[in-house]
Amino acid sequence: MTDDELLFPITVLWRRIDVEGMDGCTFDLSGDGYVISGTAIYLDGIEPAKFDYTVACNADWSSQSASVSGWLGQHRKEFTLSRGPNDVWTIDGEVKNGLSGLVDIDLGFTPATNTNAIRRLGLAVGEDVETTAVWLDTESWCFKPLRQVYRRLSDTEIAYCSPAHDYAATLVTDGFGIVRRYPHLWAALPEKTARRD
């Protein structure tokens, strides 16, 4: 599905499967690129968590920046991640080593940031690729490189693998690339992506 066939913004509401939680998100045009923004509310162990997030992407869906603000229990968390010249990443203005050359952002608490990678890769049926994302680990709340493998099985099915976590599953997406079913983690409600009429 091309962007010319869509009306933006595109909205989605996910329900978490592994714990209590929801995530509401929009995908919209922004200048020459795109912006993904949403709010995730969920239980982290016994503590409630609430995070607002925004990810800015270029015209090719490569990630340019992300901001996250919110709280986990009594702990406030807020930071900005940016990609500068030569694909060097900074967090709140400080260079983060080990991430140079990476072009995808993956926020670990939301399925929204699989879409930017799916759109950027643009895989045909039968194609696969290994890529590495700048991943927010919600155990340590640090950004780390995360190796990922995407293989397109059909127009709406993508085999996804995160070798470091020994995780592999078939993601079900809509025609735009928004995850509708993320096995054992997320399910979109309702069955079709909402659009502006």
Side-chain angles (χ1 to χ4, degrees):
M1 184 178 295
T2 66
D3 291 352
D4 292 340
E5 300 174 288
L6 296 168
L7 290 176
F8 288 92
I10 303 171
T11 62
V12 60
L13 179 65
W14 290 286
R15 176 178 58 84
R16 278 194 72 156
I17 297 170
D18 57 333
V19 298
E20 292 294 328
M22 303 291 287
D23 187 337
C25 179
T26 65
F27 297 81
D28 206 354
L29 300 171
S30 179
D32 293 331
Y34 305 90
V35 62
I36 303 168
S37 60
T39 300
I41 301 174
Y42 60 96
L43 275 178
D44 187 318
I46 61 172
E47 293 189 302
K50 182 259 188 185
F51 291 102
D52 299 315
Y53 60 90
T54 301
V55 178
C57 299
N58 298 317
D60 64 355
W61 283 93
S62 59
S63 300
Q64 190 61 44
S65 66
S67 61
V68 176
S69 64
W71 44 263
L72 171 59
Q74 296 180 328
H75 303 286
R76 179 80 186 175
K77 298 185 183 296
E78 187 168 0
F79 45 80
T80 299
L81 175 71
S82 298
R83 180 163 63 101
N86 302 315
D87 296 334
V88 173
W89 291 90
T90 60
I91 300 174
D92 297 330
E94 297 291 328
V95 172
K96 175 67 173 176
N97 294 323
L99 304 178
S100 295
L102 306 183
V103 296
D104 293 320
I105 291 172
D106 186 342
L107 302 178
F109 59 82
T110 176
T113 47
N114 286 96
T115 296
N116 43 304
I118 290 169
R119 294 289 294 181
R120 182 184 68 81
L121 294 171
L123 297 176
V125 174
E127 285 187 325
D128 64 82
V129 68
E130 180 178 306
T131 186
T132 301
V134 179
W135 173 61
L136 176 60
D137 180 353
T138 55
E139 294 289 329
S140 63
W141 288 95
C142 293
F143 283 99
K144 306 175 180 179
L146 180 68
R147 189 162 60 95
Q148 302 172 320
V149 180
Y150 288 88
R151 178 179 176 82
R152 183 167 290 282
L153 304 177
S154 71
D155 289 343
T156 59
E157 292 179 308
I158 294 176
Y160 170 79
C161 177
S162 173
H165 300 111
D166 196 26
Y167 179 85
T170 297
L171 309 182
V172 178
T173 70
D174 62 14
F176 183 73
I178 296 171
V179 176
R180 306 301 300 177
R181 288 200 299 276
Y182 202 130
H184 310 298
L185 293 175
W186 296 94
L189 302 172
E191 282 302 308
K192 292 187 178 180
T193 300
R195 298 186 191 169
R196 183 180 60 200
D197 293 326

